[in-house]
Amino acid sequence: MSPDDALQKLLDGNKRFVAQNTQDRNFAEEIASTADGVDGYAVVISCMDARVNAEQIFDTKIGDIFVLRVGGGVINQDIVDSIEIAINMTQVKLVIMLGHTKCGAIVNATKNKGQEVSQLIAKVLPALDAVPTSLGEPSLSNIPYLRKAEEMQVVLSTQQLEESSPLISNLINENQMMIANAIYDVETGKVTILEASS
Ligand SMILES: [Zn+2]
């Protein structure tokens, strides 16, 4: 499977999810076929938000994807190390950096910008600063600002992941792996891939 095939497979799964046409599951069979090891092909990093459940959103089966969830989808060393473990276990072709609309971490960061914030929210603040000034002031009523901040959180997390892991950046340079930036829309269930900004 190529990185592009892995992405297409997950996007096809998201289409089934949105269409309420998810694949038939046989959990006993899935458990039995993965008991001796997995053949997972993708890693999804997402927020811990209760709406952003990667296995359902991408209509995957047991053993298909490795999922790391933390508030705001922030990157830390444990996340990087976990992805490297997955890569060493199996043929991971793709990392999806999955942000989402109406993210509580972005809302919290916007509301408390300039005040004392938690360690996690401090990691989200650079995404706010990366929003173009043309979108106006940070405020909870400025929806275009919040949407852009959610995107920038994804973009910056990907940059941070590449910088933190020579293993991952080497695989990307050799075209053996890809990171896709994406946003999950909590109103439609749809995943949209963000165009790479040049
Ligand atoms: Zn969130």
Side-chain angles (χ1 to χ4, degrees):
M1 191 185 298
S2 72
D4 284 319
D5 291 341
L7 180 60
Q8 195 54 54
K9 204 168 150 82
L10 291 183
L11 292 178
D12 288 347
N14 179 243
K15 273 195 193 128
R16 293 193 301 273
F17 171 71
V18 171
Q20 301 223 51
N21 181 30
T22 51
Q23 58 189 334
D24 292 331
R25 303 285 301 268
N26 180 329
F27 293 127
E29 217 169 66
E30 290 177 32
I31 292 166
S33 69
T34 53
D36 293 328
V38 291
D39 196 17
Y41 54 87
V43 171
V44 178
I45 302 169
S46 81
C47 187
M48 88 307 185
D49 189 298
R51 297 166 290 190
V52 190
N53 178 330
E55 289 91 340
Q56 284 183 320
I57 288 168
F58 293 112
D59 189 27
T60 58
K61 292 185 174 177
I62 290 173
D64 282 349
I65 60 175
F66 299 85
V67 182
L68 296 149
R69 295 177 65 179
V70 61
V74 301
I75 299 298
N76 61 40
Q77 194 57 46
D78 292 336
I79 300 270
V80 176
D81 291 348
S82 297
I83 299 171
E84 292 192 348
I85 289 172
I87 291 171
N88 288 325
M89 275 170 67
T90 178
Q91 294 279 309
V92 172
K93 294 296 175 193
L94 171 72
V95 174
I96 294 194
M97 198 67 73
L98 186 65
H100 68 101
T101 59
K102 302 189 179 178
C103 181
I106 301 292
V107 166
N108 187 301
T110 303
K111 198 157 71 180
N112 297 307
K113 200 172 186 290
Q115 298 169 50
E116 198 174 323
V117 294
S118 71
Q119 184 181 302
L120 186 136
I121 295 303
K123 291 186 175 184
V124 175
L125 291 174
L128 304 190
D129 295 334
V131 175
T133 49
S134 58
L135 289 179
E137 291 297 310
S139 119
L140 297 188
S141 57
N142 187 346
I143 304 302
Y145 176 92
L146 293 173
R147 290 295 92 85
K148 193 54 160 182
E150 286 152 2
E151 288 185 17
M152 292 318 298
Q153 174 58 19
V154 170
V155 170
L156 294 182
S157 293
T158 291
Q159 280 176 12
Q160 201 186 337
L161 176 59
E162 287 182 30
E163 284 163 13
S164 309
S165 171
L167 174 66
I168 293 171
S169 54
N170 284 340
L171 287 170
I172 291 170
N173 288 337
E174 292 163 5
N175 295 319
Q176 294 188 52
M177 206 176 125
M178 169 168 90
I179 304 181
N181 294 334
I183 293 284
Y184 175 74
D185 186 328
V186 298
E187 290 173 90
T188 64
K190 193 174 184 305
V191 172
T192 303
I193 300 298
L194 300 178
E195 296 299 324
S197 56
S198 51

